[in-house]
Amino acid sequence: MDLLEYQVKEWFGKIGIPVLPSQRIDHPTDLKRLKIRYPIVLKSQVQAGEREKAGGVRVVETTIDAIATAQNIFNLPIWGQLPEVLLAESKYDAQEEFYLAVVLDTALCRPVLLGCTEANIDWETAGEKIQHVVVEQEFSPFYARRLALKMGLQGALMQTVSDIVEKLYQLFVQKDLDLVEIHPLGVNSAGQVMALNGKVRVNKQAINRHPEIADMAAKMVGLLHGNQKNNGLLSRWDGIEMQGKICIIGNGKGSVLTTLDEVVNAHGHPGKCVNLRHTFMSDTTQTTFSDRLISSLTNLVNDQNTQVILVNFLGTIPQVDQLPEIISQFLHSDRSQITSGVSAANGNKSQQPLNLPWLILRLAGSEFNHVREELAARKTPDQLLIVVENLDEAVKEAVRLAKTPVLKKR
């Protein structure tokens, strides 16, 4: 679970990491009661990346400009997400920018301290520039100082950065985190440092061990899409729920959010979105990718809002050879066994079988060549299956079919 920036900075401030004066903005008119001086930076609070490139981070000089800009940002979707909250923050002139992080290395089963004197990191060549220190035993300030020295820092700046690394580690342990990073840590002309942006990823299995974090998770579900509903797929933090007819399944966060964004841009209405990459939080035993695909298809088809299921698999997936059989079995499901979950919940004895939704598979990559060929050779009932390689084509079909009356699917 990733926190929003304003939540991250609240945690930073409490543990003693320097952050800029800031104020949460729930509505553009809140800027009339701003307690920090202009110029300020307005930041969209969404979990999507590249906010600045998308126009979600803007510098403003006056209250009038701030209100107008805030109205624009509140209505600006970034990777399919509309912000419910903005962060207003003092502007900071950084002469240097560093990268600092503490991450759990699952291979080593140990925390690792990361640092780099460049904030704009090319992650393909990051290994050449990022310094790291493995915390092999009980943590001590020695590890933080060692990282600062490996970064080439000296004097007061070395001590300041090592102090911040030590506090990052304290936060990492206290909150059961998988990752905490400052990106960037700004250094001004006077040598003062400031955490200009940050990221926190909470271990999913640890959420319920921390009442504060569990409460944040429940509220964040509503903040993501203005919907406080917290059921099945969404409560497990394996996806996003909206109220449209086009449900989305992807093999990674990027796959899901890209598809969601494309559907919105095509004037479609997304429904539930599911990421199959990792084991669901509710799983009591280890599950495979195929297990999660089967359970997700079953959950989505039992939702009365689902009219189209759009699957976007990009690159590679585990158990790819099982995909044709899973899809075939799903399309040949006994419809009499599929009933509305709403009717069941209401105790309605006269439940009506639901139609299977349209299933659109976007399979991109040479690994799926034999899958496409095998699916093309199989006969599917009512021509409910569409297999394409181009995402734009898949989205166009999904939006078109979502507007088709349900009766035409029979």
Side-chain angles (χ1 to χ4, degrees), residues 25-293:
I25 305 298
D26 295 291
H27 189 275
T29 55
D30 290 348
L31 290 158
K32 295 179 179 179
R33 297 175 290 277
L34 194 64
K35 298 178 181 178
I36 55 180
R37 293 182 178 181
Y38 288 95
I40 62 169
V41 182
L42 290 176
K43 298 182 176 182
S44 177
Q45 296 300 284
V46 294
Q47 291 180 327
E50 300 185 338
R51 292 177 299 166
E52 189 168 358
K53 290 182 181 179
V57 178
R58 305 275 295 276
V59 178
V60 292
E61 304 279 349
T62 66
T63 301
I64 294 176
D65 288 342
I67 292 173
T69 301
Q71 289 173 337
N72 289 333
I73 296 177
F74 271 118
N75 290 288
L76 176 68
I78 302 176
W79 289 88
Q81 299 179 40
L82 281 172
E84 290 288 336
V85 178
L86 304 186
L87 180 67
E89 190 172 67
S90 296
K91 188 174 180 295
Y92 187 81
D93 294 320
Q95 302 298 311
E96 294 181 275
E97 292 185 343
F98 300 160
Y99 172 83
L100 297 174
V102 182
V103 62
L104 177 64
D105 188 316
T106 55
L108 298 174
C109 297
R110 300 299 304 170
V112 178
L113 312 181
L114 302 176
C116 182
T117 52
E118 296 180 22
N120 296 321
I121 302 170
D122 180 355
W123 291 103
E124 293 185 0
T125 59
E128 303 172 4
K129 297 181 178 180
I130 293 185
Q131 304 300 323
H132 73 278
V133 173
V134 179
V135 182
E136 298 174 336
Q137 299 177 2
E138 184 177 352
F139 184 83
S140 74
F142 160 77
Y143 288 107
R145 288 196 299 270
R146 185 179 175 190
L147 177 68
L149 288 170
K150 290 182 73 173
M151 291 171 63
L153 305 180
Q154 298 178 350
L157 184 58
M158 184 274 288
Q159 186 59 52
T160 299
V161 169
S162 62
D163 288 345
I164 291 175
V165 171
E166 187 174 350
K167 290 170 182 175
L168 282 177
Y169 187 85
Q170 292 172 7
L171 187 62
F172 178 85
V173 173
Q174 289 176 11
K175 304 295 187 180
D176 282 325
L177 305 181
D178 283 338
L179 167 73
V180 55
E181 70 177 21
I182 300 176
H183 189 198
L185 179 75
V187 185
N188 66 13
S189 57
Q192 297 174 321
V193 299
M194 197 68 63
L196 302 183
N197 198 357
K199 183 174 183 178
V200 162
R201 178 167 296 159
V202 181
N203 186 291
K204 292 194 298 184
Q205 307 302 330
I207 290 175
N208 292 328
R209 292 203 293 269
H210 299 272
E212 172 198 5
I213 299 175
D215 184 57
M216 291 170 70
K219 290 179 180 178
M220 199 180 301
V221 168
L223 288 176
L224 280 171
H225 292 288
N227 183 353
Q228 295 297 330
K229 194 173 180 180
N230 193 5
N231 67 6
L233 297 173
L234 194 56
S235 63
R236 298 197 292 266
W237 276 95
D238 309 306
I240 301 168
E241 181 175 10
M242 300 177 76
Q243 299 303 307
K245 297 179 180 179
I246 303 173
C247 296
I248 296 168
I249 295 177
N251 62 326
K253 183 178 179 180
S255 169
V256 172
L257 293 180
T258 298
T259 310
L260 175 62
D261 205 30
E262 290 295 320
V263 170
V264 172
N265 289 337
H267 306 291
H269 301 287
K272 292 178 179 176
C273 305
V274 188
N275 178 9
L276 302 181
R277 181 178 289 275
H278 302 294
T279 301
F280 296 154
M281 283 182 62
S282 60
D283 293 334
T284 56
T285 59
Q286 188 67 31
T287 61
T288 66
F289 186 91
S290 295
D291 294 332
R292 296 191 289 276
L293 175 58

Side-chain angles (χ1 to χ4, degrees), residues 329-375:
Q329 289 187 7
F330 170 73
L331 293 172
H332 287 86
S333 299
D334 183 354
R335 301 187 191 193
S336 65
Q337 301 302 313
I338 303 174
T339 56
S340 167
V342 174
S343 299
N346 293 337
N348 188 343
K349 296 182 179 180
S350 59
Q351 299 172 10
Q352 297 296 318
L354 294 180
N355 290 318
L356 284 176
W358 296 94
L359 182 62
I360 300 176
L361 298 182
R362 185 269 179 136
L363 306 177
S366 58
E367 183 178 284
F368 295 110
N369 288 342
H370 75 283
V371 176
R372 287 191 289 268
E373 293 172 1
E374 188 171 344
L375 288 173

